[in-house]
Amino acid sequence: MKLPNKEQMWVEARRRHRLTHAQVQMARELGLNPAKLGKLDNHRAEAWKAALPQYIEHLYLKRFRRAVPENVLSIEERAQLSALKKAERKTRRVGERPE
C-alpha cells in the first residue's frame, strides 16, 4: 500500500531519528513538522539539549498531562484505517445515490 506524501514524511522521520510509533504519534498530536525535527534533535556538540525522543515525551506530558497516547497506532495502521473509512463512505454514497 502506497502511503500519502504526508505520512511518508513521518515514516522517514521515524527512521532517521529512531523514534517509536508512540513518539511519532505524540509528535503528530503536538503539531510538529517532520521535516524540521532535525533542528530539535540533539547533535552531540549540543550537550545542553535533550535527545529528540525525550524532548517529544516531555512536551507531550507538559501539554496533555499523560505520558503516552491512549491508543498508539503506527503510520501504516493509521493509513490503512483511513483507507477503509474512505472505502466505506464511498460505498455508502453509491448506495444512497438516486437512480
Side-chain angles (χ1 to χ4, degrees):
M1 176 180 175
K2 179 124 169 78
L3 292 174
N5 192 26
K6 215 172 191 181
E7 276 76 18
Q8 188 60 42
M9 289 176 64
W10 279 108
V11 170
E12 281 296 314
R14 181 180 67 201
R15 183 190 57 75
R16 183 178 303 126
H17 300 291
R18 296 186 177 124
L19 301 173
T20 64
H21 295 295
Q23 291 163 342
V24 169
Q25 185 168 336
M26 285 187 242
R28 287 174 57 106
E29 290 178 19
L30 287 167
L32 299 179
N33 185 344
K36 297 187 179 184
L37 288 179
K39 291 180 182 180
L40 300 174
D41 198 7
N42 182 4
H43 304 289
R44 296 204 192 330
E46 300 171 321
W48 53 271
K49 195 185 267 190
L52 183 61
Q54 286 77 28
Y55 183 63
I56 291 171
E57 290 170 1
H58 168 73
L59 288 177
Y60 191 83
L61 181 64
K62 190 173 172 181
R63 180 175 296 169
F64 297 108
R65 308 254 191 261
R66 52 178 193 254
V68 292
E70 291 174 355
N71 298 331
V72 177
L73 295 173
S74 71
I75 302 293
E76 294 82 2
E77 291 170 339
R78 184 179 298 274
Q80 217 171 20
L81 284 175
S82 175
L84 285 174
K85 284 183 183 180
K86 187 175 180 179
E88 286 176 12
R89 281 194 308 264
K90 187 174 182 177
T91 57
R92 201 174 328 131
R93 271 187 279 157
V94 169
E96 294 174 357
R97 190 180 293 167
E99 294 186 31

